[in-house]
Amino acid sequence: MSDDADPTSAEESRPEETTTDGVRADRLDRFPTRGPRNSLWSWPDAKSPLAVVRNYVVIVLARVCPSLRLKNWLLRRIGVTVGTGVSWGLESTPDVFWPERIAVGDDAIVGYDATLLCHEFLHEEYRLGDVVVEERAMIGAGAVVLPGVTIGAGARVAANSLVAADVPPNATVAGVPAEVVSQAESTA
């Protein structure tokens, strides 16, 4: 059984939009679901249950593992792209359904209890999007990053923020939803 059981290609599932402003919603793959219940009831049709169980076990181990090397090694086993020197805080959680859609750049920090989501289950569809955390970015404790978001190089996300839009390089964002509160000069 494959990890992705949905036969619909990403191109077929995208709405006919022509915007190019980099809005997160434009980068999400959309998959309609049928039936009387919300799309979460359709998850076994979207992703192999065996793959989700494997991902869950590995993520639980990684969440409580104090060794950063072991944590990075475990997350790479389930498809997370993990750069050199990445630090994951205890209880930080990558997406359990689609961890292979996460890329974390060199020397980035994902803080305690932060969550990186690559999926959204809604009433009549589910959506998938890549999460990219570029090099030396920092995500504060308890922050949630939604699918389709890129956190730029050297950017900082304040604790308990909800990141629903891209974060520019070297910016600091805070709040629900997170908004830019400061912008550092580029050191390049």
Side-chain angles (χ1 to χ4, degrees):
M1 185 178 236
S2 73
D3 282 355
D4 261 327
D6 192 327
T8 309
S9 74
E11 289 75 26
E12 292 172 2
S13 65
R14 291 182 194 255
E16 295 298 322
E17 296 179 16
T18 58
T19 59
T20 58
D21 58 1
V23 175
R24 175 183 81 89
D26 296 339
R27 292 190 299 266
L28 297 177
D29 301 324
R30 293 172 166 76
F31 300 92
T33 54
R34 312 275 184 281
R37 295 191 172 117
N38 65 60
S39 66
L40 187 53
W41 285 89
S42 301
W43 80 261
D45 298 328
K47 189 73 170 188
S48 162
L50 292 175
V52 174
V53 168
R54 176 204 62 211
N55 294 346
Y56 179 77
V57 169
V58 170
I59 288 169
V60 166
L61 289 172
R63 288 184 71 195
V64 298
C65 176
S67 167
L68 295 176
R69 283 188 180 99
L70 181 55
K71 192 177 297 236
N72 287 339
W73 183 85
L74 285 167
L75 294 175
R76 286 182 184 116
R77 301 290 72 78
I78 59 171
V80 178
T81 300
V82 180
T84 303
V86 171
S87 298
W88 299 84
L90 287 173
E91 302 292 333
S92 60
T93 307
D95 191 280
V96 70
F97 286 96
W98 287 276
E100 66 275 7
R101 296 188 76 138
I102 297 172
V104 182
D106 294 348
D107 299 311
I109 299 171
V110 180
Y112 174 84
D113 200 31
T115 303
L116 307 180
L117 292 174
C118 297
H119 74 278
E120 298 173 333
F121 285 110
L122 306 172
H123 283 284
E124 296 169 354
E125 70 177 0
Y126 67 93
R127 300 174 184 168
L128 304 178
D130 296 340
V131 170
V132 177
V133 180
E134 294 181 347
E135 61 278 350
R136 301 191 57 77
M138 296 185 295
I139 300 172
V144 176
V145 179
L146 295 181
V149 167
T150 296
I151 298 177
R156 294 156 307 280
V157 175
N160 293 314
S161 294
L162 175 66
V163 185
D166 289 349
V167 178
N170 301 308
T172 298
V173 298
V176 178
E179 296 180 353
V180 175
V181 295
S182 69
Q183 179 72 49
E185 299 271 334
S186 176
T187 60

